[in-house]
Amino acid sequence: MTVFYTLFSFLYQTGDAFAFLVLSACGLAIIFGMMGVINLAHGEFIMCGAYVCSASARAGLPLPLAVLAGALAAGIAGMLVERIVIRPLYDRPLDTIVATWGVSMIVTQSTLILLGSIMPGTGTPFGSFAVGPYSYSIYRVVLMGAALTTLGLLWLGFTKTRFGVLARATIQVPHIAQALGVNTGLVYSLTFGLGAALAGLAGGLYAPTMTLVPTMGSAFVVEAFVTVVVGGADIFLGTAPAALVLGAVKAGLTSWQGQLAGQIGLLVAVIIVIRILPRGISGWILRERA
């Protein structure tokens, strides 16, 4: 039975890490992986979703609706940032690094000044369950389900809807899409807003599990970027396998040697994968199909 408990603990930690990586990376995979915009303000969209979710929940809104409110607020903020800051820089993608870094600094410091250094949270719901001598959070299982549901809905949205077709066409060959009458400016704005909304969704979902501070987004950004880089440009072929591989590495080393070893192992795994597969997992899958 000890082996069973250990195996269950490993699978639970892997699922937990997988959910964190997927939810952190989905929005960035759209903005960075698909649009080519290096969005260093990704963490601030996550923070926006977490703050709005927490404020809405404390105001009496049910947690699921509070999470959606956080995602909506981040999506609207993302569309504004795209229109004001990002749109003039589509022909200068490297300049988006500086622009979004500036947005990140402004938002972080403004939040600190206006709302203080910490915001009251809501507490983790649903309690816990026990397997043998170990106790596990039920809400973490909910997060695993949310990650899988998000991936499924994104696949449906980008492959089975008119918006998905227009978005992929605009991002791949914008001049032809525009010549065919597509409002490419609106498509870019909606796509960037969707990426920001997914970041806000991650923040809202993890708000009950974290201390809410203006710099909380930094806890997501590094792992989101490495997941997208390892996964490659295709969000559907790359993000989920990358999150699963990196989550298993992180969970295994964390349970063996602690949190620091898990973080170090995660980064070492990224270096190895990038060295072997420079175009990421999705690039390798597409090459094998070809």
Side-chain angles (χ1 to χ4, degrees):
M1 292 299 291
T2 302
V3 175
F4 171 77
Y5 296 147
T6 302
L7 178 61
F8 183 86
S9 177
F10 170 73
L11 292 176
Y12 178 88
Q13 291 182 58
T14 300
D16 185 28
F18 170 82
F20 183 85
L21 293 172
V22 165
L23 292 170
S24 300
C26 276
L28 191 64
I30 291 174
I31 294 175
F32 176 47
M34 293 181 64
M35 299 180 67
V37 174
I38 304 172
N39 179 27
L40 294 186
H42 182 68
E44 280 55 55
F45 290 125
I46 292 174
M47 183 265 291
C48 173
Y51 270 53
V52 172
C53 172
S54 179
S56 300
R58 288 188 293 107
L61 202 65
L63 183 60
L65 294 180
V67 171
L68 293 178
L72 179 62
I76 294 172
M79 293 178 68
L80 291 174
V81 169
E82 189 277 338
R83 185 66 183 88
I84 298 170
V85 179
I86 303 299
R87 186 166 297 187
L89 303 177
Y90 280 126
D91 294 330
R92 297 146 53 196
L94 292 180
D95 289 354
T96 60
I97 299 175
V98 178
T100 54
W101 177 75
V103 171
S104 172
M105 293 296 100
I106 292 170
V107 171
T108 300
Q109 295 304 313
S110 298
T111 304
L112 179 62
I113 294 170
L114 296 175
L115 301 179
S117 59
I118 191 170
M119 184 176 187
T122 59
T124 306
F126 304 139
S128 61
F129 66 97
V131 176
Y134 305 108
S135 179
Y136 303 94
S137 170
I138 297 175
Y139 188 67
R140 296 284 179 175
V141 179
V142 173
L143 293 176
M144 299 175 203
L148 294 174
T149 302
T150 300
L151 286 174
L153 291 176
L154 283 176
W155 181 81
L156 289 174
F158 276 100
T159 60
K160 303 297 183 180
T161 67
R162 177 175 172 79
F163 167 75
V165 173
L166 294 179
R168 287 185 287 121
T170 299
I171 290 167
Q172 291 174 12
V173 280
H175 56 286
I176 295 179
Q178 189 170 24
L180 293 173
V182 177
N183 186 341
T184 54
L186 178 61
V187 172
Y188 274 127
S189 183
L190 291 174
T191 305
F192 194 96
L194 175 61
L198 289 170
L201 177 68
L205 287 170
Y206 278 94
T209 70
M210 303 181 67
T211 301
L212 303 186
V213 296
T215 57
M216 62 173 292
S218 61
F220 295 80
V221 169
V222 173
E223 296 189 11
F225 265 101
V226 298
T227 303
V228 172
V229 170
V230 170
D234 193 302
I235 180 176
F236 307 113
L237 291 178
T239 303
L244 185 61
V245 170
L246 297 177
V249 170
K250 182 180 178 181
L253 290 176
T254 298
S255 61
W256 178 41
Q257 290 291 333
Q259 188 71 27
L260 180 60
Q263 292 290 344
I264 294 173
L266 177 72
L267 297 178
V268 171
V270 171
I271 294 171
I272 293 172
V273 172
I274 293 175
R275 180 66 181 86
I276 298 173
L277 304 173
R279 297 182 61 187
I281 293 175
S282 65
W284 174 74
I285 293 174
L286 293 172
R287 184 183 65 187
E288 290 296 315
R289 286 183 176 180

